[in-house]
Amino acid sequence: PRPSGREITSHDDCFEWVELLALSSSGATVARAFVRIGDHEAIAAWPRRFDHMDVSHSICIYAESTREARYVVPFCLHAHSESDLDGAKRCVVEAGKQVLIQMDGPPASVHWYSDGHNGFELLIPFQVFDAFYSPWTFALYADIAAQLDRFQPGFLDLSIYSQDYAWTLPNSRGPGGLYKIPLTEDEITELSADQILEMAASPDLTTGDILAELAARGGPWAQLQGDQP
């Protein structure tokens, strides 16, 4: 059923709000705050407040600074494995190829990450496919992921397709001490999982500005930098 108070929209909404979150070692939320996606200073300061430990933001980008507002969602996949990290990497790369075919998107629209733990992520910013609010977005994404999972079963996390999913910020440090880092297409396709884990032993500090890094190498607001009023 359609959530109450929300209507399907086309291009009238201005989706510009994300909810920042910080988690404790047990996974409990210890802090949260809505900020505009163009507020570079606030977003860059958030990881520093928590020593880069388990900092994230809502996967949804909202039209207003409330979870009750309409939202759009970038498409994402998370493949992981405790025993076959190279298999998880192959899974997400192959899934990415299939997604590009389905969405008719350019290869450069896919952004890759090592999750800093036991897997890899794919993300396609919502601007690539001109997304708009629909209450069925997560169900659609979950269905796409379930279809992709049939090709290499057991790697894709099918539980992430909900409004509660939090997307970990790049350079966030996980419980094992490794960092979530962005990867180029060459890195995720050519390097082994062990080589990527070596890279994840330290944050990607090619810019020192996490928002500039997101803009350059991928994030749900990658095409919206500079939009702060």
Side-chain angles (χ1 to χ4, degrees), residues 11 18 48 56 88 93 104 131 151 166-167 173 183 186 194 213 222:
H11 306 285
V18 290
R48 295 194 296 268
S56 58
V93 169
D104 194 25
F151 293 99
W167 190 78
R173 190 169 72 252
L183 300 169
D186 287 342
D194 285 341
E213 186 66 18

Side-chain angles (χ1 to χ4, degrees), residues 9-11 15 72-74 125-133 137 141:
T9 59
S10 54
H11 306 285
F15 298 102
V72 289
V73 188
F126 69 87
Q127 300 92 338
V128 172
F129 44 94
D130 200 20
F132 55 89
Y133 171 72
T137 296
Y141 287 178

Side-chain angles (χ1 to χ4, degrees), residues 85-107:
L85 197 54
D86 277 303
K89 184 174 76 76
R90 288 192 301 271
C91 174
V92 79
V93 169
E94 290 303 315
K97 295 177 182 177
Q98 295 299 319
V99 170
L100 283 178
I101 293 173
Q102 292 187 39
M103 294 188 172
D104 194 25

Side-chain angles (χ1 to χ4, degrees), residues 143-177:
D143 183 63
I144 293 173
Q147 293 180 44
L148 293 169
D149 188 57
R150 296 171 186 165
F151 293 99
Q152 298 189 58
F155 290 109
L156 289 178
D157 185 351
L158 303 180
S159 69
I160 65 175
Y161 302 102
S162 79
Q163 189 178 352
D164 294 325
Y165 178 59
W167 190 78
T168 305
L169 285 165
N171 293 335
S172 176
R173 190 169 72 252

Side-chain angles (χ1 to χ4, degrees), residues 117-136:
H117 180 44
N118 63 356
F120 300 90
E121 296 179 1
L122 168 155
L123 185 142
I124 301 178
F126 69 87
Q127 300 92 338
V128 172
F129 44 94
D130 200 20
F132 55 89
Y133 171 72
S134 167
W136 300 288

